[in-house]
Amino acid sequence: MNTDDSGDGPRCLVTGATGYIGGRLVPELLAEGYRVRCLARSPGALRDHPWAGEVEAVRGDVTDAASVAAAMRDVDVAYYLVHALGTGSGFEETDRAAARIFGERARAAGVRRIVYLGGLAPAGVPERELSPHLRSRAEVGRVLLASGVPTTVLRAAVVIGSGSASFEMLRHLTERLPVMVTPRWVRTRIQPVAVRDVLRVLVGSARMPSEVNRTFDIGGPDVLTYRDMMTRYAAIAGLPRRVIVPVPVLTPGLSSHWVGLVTPVPRGIARPLTESLRHEVVCHEHDIERYVPAPPGHPLGFDEAVRLALRRIQDAQVATRWSSASVPGAPSDPLPTDPDWAGGSLYTDRRELTVNASPEALWRVIEGIGGDNGWYSFPLAWAVRGWLDRLVGGVGLRRGRRDAARLRAGDSLDFWRVEEIEPGRLLRLRAEMRLPGLAWLEMSAESDSRGRTRYRQRALFHPHGLLGHAYWWSVSPFHSVVFGGMARNIAKAAARAPLTPPSERASAR
């Protein structure tokens, strides 16, 4: 954790840095030259971010006045990006108390501006008739505006980006249900906004003149019904056209149970989201552009925002948290701190064994896999899978491998392609067989803290539509034989391998 204060840019305090928006805002602020301090209940949760060493992380909670006061010292701009969504029936009181503490401590510390991201509210609807979620968001905005610190309250509807709870609900509903019996709220008009535009406006709001103390609506150029969004998502994701049948009997409460059954989004989050969807949420004004002008091509339309959110998958790349790598990505990409249900479904089969051989011997077996050496388990199953792939127009097993002993990134390997190779350590293959989804096979050779050689193996599958989910569950009973046997036999082959590689034995002769 870096607590170096040597930078000379304005200091921003970011609350909610472990959350969806906060975790994506921090690198945008750093890129603009701001110094960033993050207030988190568990600062250790930030360590997997690539920017962790560039920020000051302090422990605290927005409901604890002392920790908020300490975090506000020498802060110019304070971002309030937390709310108690999904914490139970008392979340409105928790939000109200936290906002008051935040505003009071910001004023006492001489903070120049507060920036808050809330929810877009419907026009002409009394606040008492709003869903509890939207009502609480509106109240937090009022509390901060009345704090005595110039405040920018930004109000957004559905945020489009991988990891956004609203977007993940849309993603899972559309991908898992080719035929949907849906609540009435699928007819509700909504003005979604791309996460890139939300972040752009959040960063730009830090520079607003001191006399600005007001609410701004932010949204993309498209006003769509939820049904429109599901239909357009399906088209962009390459799914067959969805059949959507709205019915009047599904209340918001029943809807949240239905969403919880169909998707992995927790009911505590799904319920307030579905309750809010009964309201039309369309921007009433676009005054934000007077203070944060939109560059050419912005705000992004719904289709482009969805394409960016799906980009990692459509580019056939293993996303950041999928490969356990902390690499910088675009705002639309997954982050290590995103919940498990974000970023689309990913099924994983993991195997790990201690190997009675050196890491070098194990690596030679890994790098020599496929072709004439086979796949070290149930040869008939691999052969049948190759024949089936040929029958449906796939490449089958006929390609073999370019070199019997060495692999390079981009090599074909039976019905796989070498996506990544770190010699001596990691081999990742991407499936090129015909599948209702995307698949990878990853193998690695490592030494643990006790000096033992460890073999790690992962098979990953990202399903495409309902057929993809059905495919995984239909073949998963055979994984213990195919993938379990593969791991055991690779370990045995490494233990039996000669101490010198074939190339060195040949040169010795």
Side-chain angles (χ1 to χ4, degrees), residues 181-411:
V181 177
T182 58
R184 286 175 296 179
W185 48 251
V186 296
R187 299 192 184 102
T188 302
R189 295 170 73 241
I190 300 166
Q191 191 163 355
V193 60
V195 64
R196 293 180 183 224
D197 286 309
V198 173
L199 297 173
R200 174 178 59 81
V201 174
L202 281 168
V203 173
S205 294
R207 306 186 190 94
M208 282 189 178
S210 58
E211 65 270 17
V212 177
N213 186 58
R214 57 162 291 187
T215 295
F216 297 91
D217 294 349
I218 57 174
D222 302 311
V223 177
L224 306 165
T225 67
Y226 205 88
R227 178 177 185 158
D228 293 335
M229 291 197 295
M230 288 192 288
T231 300
R232 288 168 72 161
Y233 178 98
I236 295 164
L239 299 169
R241 184 174 180 82
R242 270 33 195 161
V243 178
I244 301 170
V245 184
V247 295
V249 295
L250 283 174
T251 65
L254 289 174
S255 295
S256 64
H257 286 290
W258 174 71
V259 171
L261 178 66
V262 174
T263 82
V265 178
R267 183 173 176 268
I269 294 174
R271 184 180 181 104
L273 291 178
T274 54
E275 287 176 339
S276 300
L277 286 171
R278 72 174 187 261
H279 304 297
E280 179 174 289
V281 280
V282 176
C283 294
H284 317 314
E285 42 80 13
H286 301 281
D287 296 349
I288 190 65
E289 295 198 3
R290 291 167 46 194
Y291 301 97
V292 188
H298 287 263
L300 297 174
F302 176 81
D303 291 1
E304 179 62 17
V306 171
R307 273 191 285 269
L308 289 169
L310 299 181
R311 183 186 60 177
R312 283 286 182 98
I313 294 170
Q314 292 179 337
D315 287 350
Q317 297 291 321
V318 180
T320 301
R321 65 180 178 85
W322 294 359
S323 59
S324 301
S326 296
V327 296
S332 308
D333 293 338
L335 288 182
T337 50
D338 287 346
D340 290 341
W341 43 264
S345 300
L346 186 76
Y347 294 116
T348 305
D349 181 277
R350 300 175 186 269
R351 311 283 166 170
E352 185 172 338
L353 293 172
T354 299
V355 181
N356 186 24
S358 67
E360 293 78 16
L362 175 58
W363 175 252
R364 287 196 293 272
V365 176
I366 293 172
E367 192 176 12
I369 202 166
D372 292 339
N373 291 329
W375 293 89
Y376 291 94
S377 75
F378 206 172
L380 180 60
W382 288 91
V384 169
R385 188 64 186 86
W387 297 334
L388 292 175
D389 195 50
R390 292 285 299 275
L391 284 175
V392 295
V395 297
L397 293 170
R398 69 182 185 275
R399 295 189 305 186
R401 48 183 295 154
R402 174 191 58 85
D403 184 300
R406 296 288 180 265
L407 290 174
R408 298 176 302 189
D411 279 358

Side-chain angles (χ1 to χ4, degrees), residues 32 54 62 105 126 147 152 180 184 193 223 262-263 284 286 326 329 342 359 427 447-448:
E32 291 295 316
E54 302 176 57
V62 289
R105 295 300 176 263
S147 66
T152 302
M180 288 177 268
R184 286 175 296 179
V193 60
V223 177
V262 174
T263 82
H284 317 314
H286 301 281
S326 296
L427 174 64
S447 293
D448 64 16

